[in-house]
């Protein structure tokens, strides 16, 4: 698509900025994974970014991902797809089949569904998604995710009651606050629970997130341009 010709160049710039921030933070060069957030963009707008070598992508809706990604996966090997939007329990099966990482586990009813669907998918295909727990660090009523004080107990239940292996945490800081205290809080919660994956930082603030220990940054508009 004519207007998306810049996506490749922007991808290169974002990659350079990530590398720079990672090295400046004194971290290993490959410590941070770029999740390219392709929500709302069509398969023909995503393809050039795949051609440029990007393989890890984020989508926020199960239905939308289902229309775009099976075809793209046939054309490009090695895609890793992350669900970064809220997951309804009745879509858990589809999400387990479609995604490699579910970043938005945030409540008992969803954990219970995943505990049914993940072993089923494992038995059928030998693969299952990795899981992150979403934390509502700003305790915003309209936002998904667990309140910070609920996380330790929820992680305990995932482990002991549902036998789910959680790999890390994800957060979306409030839009109207400096993000750094939220990134720092997410890291503290992860550290005390022995979790090593931290998905935090978007187009506007991924460098600060890397400074504070992000292992995954979710960058959309800085690569794909503004969403219509
Ligand atoms: C849309 C979205 C992003 C990407 O946001 P940009 O500001 O476009 O980089 C990251 N994380 C989540 C959860 C999103 O929904």
């Amino acid at each position: 698509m004519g207007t998306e010709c810049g996506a490749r160049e922007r991808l290169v710039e974002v990659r350079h900025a990530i590398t720079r921030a990672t090295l400046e933070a004194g971290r290993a060069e490959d410590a941070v994974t770029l999740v390219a957030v392709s929500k709302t963009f069509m398969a023909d707008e995503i393809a050039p970014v795949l051609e440029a070598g990007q393989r890890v992508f984020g989508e926020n809706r199960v239905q939308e991902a289902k229309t775009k990604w099976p075809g793209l996966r046939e054309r490009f090997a090695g895609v890793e797809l992350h669900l970064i939007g809220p997951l309804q329990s009745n879509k858990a099966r589809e999400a387990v089949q479609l995604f490699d990482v579910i970043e938005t586990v945030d409540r008992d009813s969803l954990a219970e569904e995943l505990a049914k669907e993940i072993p089923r998918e494992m038995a059928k295909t030998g693969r299952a998604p990795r899981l992150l727990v979403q934390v509502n660090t700003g305790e915003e009523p309209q936002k998904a995710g667990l309140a910070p004080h609920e996380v330790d107990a929820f992680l305990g239940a995932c482990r002991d009651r549902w036998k789910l292996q959680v790999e890390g945490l994800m957060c979306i800081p409030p839009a109207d606050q400096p993000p750094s205290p939220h990134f720092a809080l997410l890291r503290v919660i992860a550290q005390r629970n022995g979790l090593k994956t931290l998905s935090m930082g978007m187009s506007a603030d991924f460098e600060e997130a890397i400074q504070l220990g992000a292992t995954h940054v979710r960058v959309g508009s800085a690569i794909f341009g503004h969403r219509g």
Side-chain angles (χ1 to χ4, degrees):
M1 299 300 289
T3 54
E4 295 309 317
C5 280
R8 264 174 217 267
E9 288 75 14
R10 288 192 294 263
L11 173 70
V12 171
E13 280 171 25
V14 167
R15 287 197 165 287
H16 282 153
I18 289 172
T19 302
R20 208 163 40 233
T22 305
L23 295 176
E24 269 173 26
R27 303 176 60 196
E29 190 169 344
D30 62 355
V32 180
T33 299
L34 168 62
V35 181
V37 176
S38 49
K39 66 188 185 194
T40 77
F41 291 95
M42 312 283 281
D44 62 354
E45 297 167 295
I46 302 169
V49 175
L50 281 152
E51 277 159 11
Q54 177 66 26
R55 283 297 178 272
V56 185
F57 289 85
E59 290 282 347
N60 67 336
R61 292 169 191 274
V62 174
Q63 221 47 45
E64 183 186 338
K66 211 177 152 186
T67 66
K68 298 191 304 199
W69 281 97
L72 286 168
R73 280 191 198 269
E74 277 178 24
R75 291 168 57 196
F76 298 94
V79 166
E80 180 180 299
L81 201 56
H82 291 228
L83 178 63
I84 61 170
L87 177 56
Q88 294 173 307
S89 299
N90 63 8
K91 298 246 174 72
R93 178 173 301 180
E94 279 180 302
V96 163
Q97 291 168 348
L98 209 70
F99 289 94
D100 301 291
V101 181
I102 296 174
E103 298 203 9
T104 52
V105 182
D106 67 350
R107 61 192 189 280
D108 291 350
S109 58
L110 178 56
E112 194 176 338
E113 272 318 294
L114 291 170
K116 281 187 234 157
E117 296 302 336
I118 285 177
R120 191 201 302 263
E121 180 71 8
M122 264 294 199
K124 217 165 67 184
T125 68
R127 61 156 290 283
R130 291 140 54 201
L131 304 177
L132 306 185
V133 164
Q134 183 175 354
V135 184
N136 186 357
T137 55
E139 304 201 45
E140 296 171 281
Q142 81 284 7
K143 201 168 269 178
L146 291 151
H149 67 89
E150 299 171 321
V151 177
D152 296 8
F154 182 71
L155 288 170
C158 284
R159 186 184 55 234
D160 301 332
R161 178 163 172 210
W162 292 301
K163 318 293 178 210
L164 289 173
Q165 202 176 326
V166 173
E167 180 183 300
L169 305 177
M170 175 272 216
C171 76
I172 310 168
D176 61 351
Q177 289 178 25
S180 288
H182 296 273
F183 297 152
L185 173 59
L186 197 70
R187 177 159 78 170
V188 165
I189 299 171
Q191 276 175 344
R192 74 168 177 244
N193 284 285
L195 301 173
K196 57 186 193 318
T197 300
L198 282 175
S199 173
M200 56 189 199
M202 317 199 293
S203 290
D205 52 25
F206 65 85
E207 283 146 315
E208 287 154 275
I210 289 169
Q211 185 66 41
L212 289 164
T215 61
H216 291 71
V217 292
R218 310 178 307 268
V219 179
S221 47
I223 297 168
F224 288 98
H226 287 290
R227 291 178 288 273

